[in-house]
Amino acid sequence: MVKIDNIELPDFPLLLAPMEDVSDPPFRALCKEQGADVVYTEFVSSEGLIRNAAKSVMKLDIYEKERPVGIQIFGANLDSMLQTIDIVEKSNPDIIDINFGCPVKKVVSKGAGAGILKDICLMEKLTAEMVKRTNLPITVKTRLGWDHDSIKIVEVAERLQDVGCKAIAIHGRTRAQMYKGDANWKPIAEVKNNPRMHIPVFGNGDITSPERAMEMRDTYGLDGAMIGRASIGNPWFFKQVKHYFKTGEHLAPISLEERVEAARRHLQMSIDWKGEILGVFETRRHYTNYFKGIPHFKEYRMKMVTSDDSKDVFAAFDEVLDKFAGYEFTE
Ligand SMILES: Cc1cc2nc3c(=O)[nH]c(=O)nc-3n(C[C@H](O)[C@H](O)[C@H](O)COP(=O)(O)O)c2cc1C
């Protein structure tokens, strides 16, 4: 069993990675239903929260059914981060996660996200103070280092643990790599193999198949896998990995009916959460992935991504069921 503070998780838990504009409540709920053991919100700006910016505040919404859920925050200013903790606590998450890994320029230039990898002492201090501020477990998501020449993740992880961080998720790339090249899991395994480490060490980056998840567990010996892009349009990925772990075989491809049902539920949950206009608009980006592989799909996709009225989108789903009945997906 793996524990994040008092939260008990199964062996080798699968975590849905925080992803901006993706890991919203409806998507998290779908992933949870399909086997994600922990889900995270997309990152929320501490500066936005303390200024009560509507967009940031909305990101704090969580459903009971998705627990355990972590709210991820980012920032570099201690006062703001501490005030943020007080605000985030009101949403009653199970975990507060600090983003020390975002490579985007506008975040990094303010010293936040992966920008903090240039100042490990500040990283340690922020974490220590945030741990003191709350009874909720504080976890950290970060990268291997700023660049290839400054990878000190073994030391960093130990220092974060020593100031009370309850779990660490590590993306096997440096900030300089952004998303390029392959994720390197070796340094993450070194963190895990440090005999002083006792908090869970989760691996992240390029878990693209059940086999890769198994490699992370068996070859690299990590405590769990944090999954990002492989789940976009494929919330079933968690179930696929778990099935493979249990049986050594791949789950049968997800049927058209299941995909349509997921798309329908995704849209309905988004509308219930954000209202008709935003719900319809912001769910569009998911459809292409749900229906990937279907030939001559453009006409239907266009209806889904251009209709402003949910009735038309739901009608397009019905048409897809009708038109492509019996279509067999290959993966
Ligand atoms: C669209 C998108 C949005 C992301 N947003 C966040 C975020 O808000 N917070 C964060 O810590 N990482 C974010 N990430 C990084 C992912 O959490 C993850 O570390 C990265 O995608 C590597 O994992 P993967 O190969 O499984 O996708 C984002 C990644 C993507 C693709």
Side-chain angles (χ1 to χ4, degrees):
M1 185 209 293
V2 170
K3 278 176 90 177
I4 302 178
D5 200 18
N6 290 324
I7 304 169
E8 294 184 0
L9 301 170
D11 276 340
F12 203 75
L14 305 180
L15 297 78
L16 170 66
M19 283 184 285
E20 189 179 20
D21 292 337
V22 178
S23 310
D24 61 6
F27 184 66
R28 298 196 306 259
L30 289 174
C31 290
K32 171 82 188 183
E33 284 167 20
Q34 300 301 334
D37 297 298
V38 184
V39 297
Y40 289 86
T41 66
E42 59 187 299
F43 67 172
V44 193
S45 157
S46 62
E47 300 300 332
L49 278 182
I50 63 174
R51 281 167 187 73
N52 207 19
K55 210 174 155 213
S56 301
V57 174
M58 196 165 184
K59 291 179 184 170
L60 300 182
D61 289 350
I62 53 182
Y63 297 130
E64 274 313 299
K65 62 183 172 192
E66 47 175 310
R67 291 187 186 283
V69 54
I71 291 181
Q72 190 191 61
I73 56 176
F74 74 97
N77 178 283
L78 178 58
D79 277 348
S80 307
M81 289 296 261
L82 292 179
Q83 285 182 57
T84 300
I85 294 270
D86 301 342
I87 298 168
V88 167
E89 272 190 334
K90 294 193 189 113
S91 292
N92 197 21
D94 302 283
I95 295 165
I96 299 179
D97 186 69
I98 321 176
N99 177 319
F100 287 146
C102 177
V104 176
K105 212 175 197 171
K106 73 170 193 242
V107 172
V108 168
S109 62
K110 297 198 178 90
I116 206 120
L117 287 163
K118 282 181 157 178
D119 187 349
I120 305 300
C121 288
L122 179 61
M123 186 181 192
E124 185 180 22
K125 180 162 171 62
L126 281 179
T127 308
E129 295 303 319
M130 290 167 73
V131 167
K132 282 186 216 149
R133 185 77 162 213
T134 179
N135 290 324
L136 289 171
I138 295 284
T139 61
V140 162
K141 175 166 181 279
T142 189
R143 289 185 173 231
L144 298 180
W146 177 256
D147 59 19
H148 184 263
D149 299 324
S150 60
I151 296 180
K152 297 190 201 108
I153 191 65
V154 174
E155 176 201 330
V156 168
E158 196 177 307
R159 284 169 70 172
L160 295 178
Q161 169 183 274
D162 289 350
V163 296
C165 170
K166 295 293 191 295
I168 183 162
I170 304 167
H171 179 182
R173 288 187 175 86
T174 62
R175 189 273 166 175
Q177 279 178 291
M178 305 295 283
Y179 286 89
K180 291 194 283 282
D182 294 331
N184 180 4
W185 296 348
K186 268 197 205 137
I188 314 177
E190 283 165 25
V191 172
K192 174 65 194 163
N193 291 335
N194 173 357
R196 283 210 60 239
M197 283 308 277
H198 53 79
I199 59 171
V201 179
F202 301 124
N204 171 244
D206 298 353
I207 302 163
T208 47
S209 63
E211 286 86 345
R212 289 284 279 157
M214 188 176 259
E215 202 183 335
M216 184 172 268
R217 184 186 71 175
D218 298 346
T219 310
Y220 291 82
L222 302 183
D223 291 309
M226 180 179 268
I227 292 154
R229 288 166 294 179
S231 68
I232 300 180
N234 184 15
W236 303 279
F237 190 72
F238 300 94
K239 172 164 97 168
Q240 289 163 340
V241 170
K242 287 188 170 176
H243 182 85
Y244 185 75
F245 280 3
K246 212 164 144 192
T247 64
E249 287 176 11
H250 281 227
L251 200 65
I254 307 301
S255 67
L256 180 70
E257 287 73 16
E258 273 182 277
R259 289 165 194 265
V260 170
E261 185 55 18
R264 240 199 267 274
R265 296 202 41 245
H266 200 149
L267 176 56
Q268 190 57 56
M269 284 193 280
S270 297
I271 293 171
D272 294 346
W273 179 47
K274 297 188 229 192
E276 169 86 11
I277 295 171
L278 273 182
V280 167
F281 182 73
E282 292 188 4
T283 314
R284 286 178 182 167
R285 66 174 76 97
H286 291 272
Y287 303 136
T288 307
N289 292 307
Y290 284 144
F291 300 112
K292 200 157 69 190
I294 303 183
H296 312 298
F297 193 70
K298 194 166 169 204
E299 175 192 339
Y300 302 91
R301 195 182 66 234
M302 288 313 285
K303 283 187 192 168
M304 291 173 194
V305 302
T306 55
S307 307
D308 292 329
D309 188 331
S310 63
K311 278 199 216 79
D312 298 333
V313 184
F314 284 120
F317 295 153
D318 289 339
E319 275 183 66
V320 166
L321 265 185
D322 210 34
K323 167 87 184 169
F324 298 100
Y327 176 77
E328 289 188 13
F329 289 83
T330 50
E331 52 177 80

